[in-house]
Amino acid sequence: MGNQYVEMGLTAPVNVTWEVTYGCNLTCVHCLSDSGNRRNGELTTAQARQVIDQLARLNVFQFNIGGGEPFMRQDFLDLMDYAHENGMVTCISTNGTLIDDDIAARLDRQLVYIQVSLDGATPATNDPIRGDGSFAKVIRALTCLSRRDIEVSINTVLTRLSFPELDRLVTLAADYGAKLRVSRFRPSGRGKQSWAQLNVNRGQMAEFSQWLAEHLAVSTGDSFFSVSTSERRSLGLNMCGACKLTCCISPEGHVYPCAFLQDPEFLAGKLPDKDFEEIWQQSPVFESFRGLEIKSCESCHRFDLCHGGCPAIAYHTQRKLGVPDPGCLANCVSVKPVAAEVH
């Protein structure tokens, strides 16, 4: 069937974020999924292969693999081989602490990109967020990967700690043949507790917006469309792609609009029990997202640059959708995330 438009979305996503496990050997203070220990109900190897079969059949182009820490799954590399055999490109987001020469060799010359997380250009900045000794382990991983034919990027979450070190992070990435990718901090998972302490203020966000305009080689995905400038407009999305171009699969096979909206009210279905194509095309949750409008933003002079910003941040800070992203340059307000029950 391929990727054809059906009303406000595609008949299949271009890429899918798949969090393959909650298991992680780190306990980062801003973790979007509150990962640490593996949980009951995570997909088995056979079920995971069924998920890959379903998405490959729909011509989904890319898996964005995350967690938890993907390499904590003993079958992870076998699952990646299976995805590649089905013609899928994989982008693996990892904390890097488990990557050695053997793993790098296994991934060499595959249809794979690696994003290694690093939240500072020094141990003093990174380790308070990601754990003691994690900086040195990431540098070891980057050394192993730099010897291979693998496209690598360093992924940094923008926080008050990493903000002053962005230029140094660009240089550090280049030293290992990598690029820098900056992700937006969102108050989900453990990020709810660290949001007030780590989130950049309005002035820093405005300064970062200008920095991005001057560093077009730095990638962001769609993380910062709410602070995009005209200089970056041609590089990617200028609106949220959830349910239109992408979605998220949890370790248990639950399907959500995005990785930052894994609350029960956004559950669209469960794989492989239900067919992914049916979920994508017929889920009331997804249909609702495709029709989501932020009316109060439509008269803004920046609307064509951001279309209201990130629904996930709006939801977690104000507990409702259809309201402006509080981090938008034209609509920035100081808000705290609304407390929610832990599920």
Side-chain angles (χ1 to χ4, degrees):
M1 187 174 287
N3 291 327
Q4 305 295 321
Y5 270 100
V6 174
E7 297 182 0
M8 291 295 290
L10 304 175
T11 58
V14 174
N15 61 67
V16 170
T17 295
W18 185 12
E19 299 189 345
V20 295
T21 182
Y22 291 113
C24 190
N25 57 331
L26 299 182
T27 53
C28 302
V29 299
H30 55 18
C31 179
L32 71 93
S33 58
D34 196 13
S35 294
N37 296 320
R38 291 196 67 173
R39 303 178 193 175
N40 294 330
E42 294 187 11
L43 295 178
T44 65
T45 301
Q47 290 172 325
R49 288 168 69 98
Q50 285 181 266
V51 170
I52 293 171
D53 287 339
Q54 288 194 32
L55 272 68
R57 188 167 60 247
L58 292 174
N59 296 323
V60 173
F61 176 69
Q62 180 172 307
F63 264 139
N64 296 327
I65 308 294
E69 170 50 46
F71 290 101
M72 293 285 286
R73 277 191 72 128
Q74 293 185 348
D75 61 356
F76 176 63
L77 288 173
D78 292 333
L79 290 175
M80 293 303 93
D81 287 342
Y82 189 67
H84 299 152
E85 290 166 7
N86 278 274
M88 301 184 74
V89 176
T90 58
C91 178
I92 303 171
S93 295
T94 171
N95 63 37
T97 61
L98 302 178
I99 293 178
D100 55 20
D101 281 323
D102 290 339
I103 288 177
R106 176 84 176 265
L107 296 171
D108 196 11
R109 302 183 186 279
Q110 298 289 323
L111 297 171
V112 64
Y113 302 90
I114 301 288
Q115 291 182 2
V116 180
S117 296
L118 196 66
D119 282 314
T122 64
T125 304
N126 174 84
D127 289 7
I129 293 178
R130 308 195 66 84
D132 291 344
S134 58
F135 183 90
K137 292 176 181 177
V138 170
I139 296 301
R140 182 192 66 188
L142 291 170
T143 301
C144 294
L145 292 168
S146 66
R147 303 188 186 112
R148 303 292 177 175
D149 186 19
I150 303 172
E151 186 169 328
V152 180
S153 62
I154 289 176
N155 187 73
T156 296
V157 176
L158 183 69
T159 66
R160 294 182 187 181
L161 295 180
S162 62
F163 171 75
E165 298 188 347
L166 291 172
D167 287 332
R168 295 177 66 183
L169 283 162
V170 170
T171 301
L172 188 153
D175 288 343
Y176 293 93
K179 294 183 178 180
L180 180 65
R181 184 181 190 276
V182 184
S183 294
R184 192 170 177 190
F185 181 30
R186 293 173 172 92
S188 63
R190 283 196 292 275
K192 289 182 173 72
Q193 284 71 51
S194 56
W195 173 259
Q197 176 187 1
L198 292 177
N199 189 41
V200 293
N201 60 38
R202 180 176 182 174
Q204 289 169 326
M205 186 65 84
E207 189 175 340
F208 174 72
S209 175
Q210 185 58 41
W211 184 88
L212 273 182
E214 297 167 358
H215 293 79
L216 299 182
V218 173
S219 63
T220 64
D222 66 354
S223 299
F224 288 102
F225 49 81
S226 61
V227 297
S228 292
T229 58
S230 57
E231 291 87 351
R232 294 187 66 87
R233 188 173 183 179
S234 64
L235 299 182
L237 291 174
N238 63 349
M239 66 178 71
C240 173
C243 306
K244 303 179 185 75
L245 299 174
T246 186
C247 64
C248 173
I249 301 172
S250 79
E252 305 99 333
H254 295 148
V255 182
Y256 297 99
C258 84
F260 300 94
L261 287 173
Q262 297 187 59
D263 286 36
E265 65 189 276
F266 300 116
L267 177 61
K270 186 181 187 305
L271 302 174
D273 304 350
K274 196 169 185 178
D275 184 69
F276 179 83
E277 183 176 15
E278 180 181 348
I279 295 172
W280 178 259
Q281 295 189 20
Q282 300 179 21
S283 163
V285 171
F286 281 20
E287 289 178 0
S288 175
F289 253 80
R290 288 167 187 149
L292 183 65
E293 295 180 335
I294 305 176
K295 291 292 187 180
S296 61
C297 291
E298 292 181 359
S299 61
C300 176
H301 69 282
R302 284 186 48 86
F303 185 70
D304 64 335
L305 288 173
C306 78
H307 293 267
C310 175
I313 292 184
Y315 172 78
H316 286 298
T317 55
Q318 300 169 72
R319 217 57 191 174
K320 57 183 176 180
L321 298 174
V323 294
D325 181 334
C328 177
L329 292 182
N331 216 346
C332 193
V333 294
S334 287
V335 293
K336 297 180 180 179
V338 177
E341 295 181 8
V342 177
H343 297 275

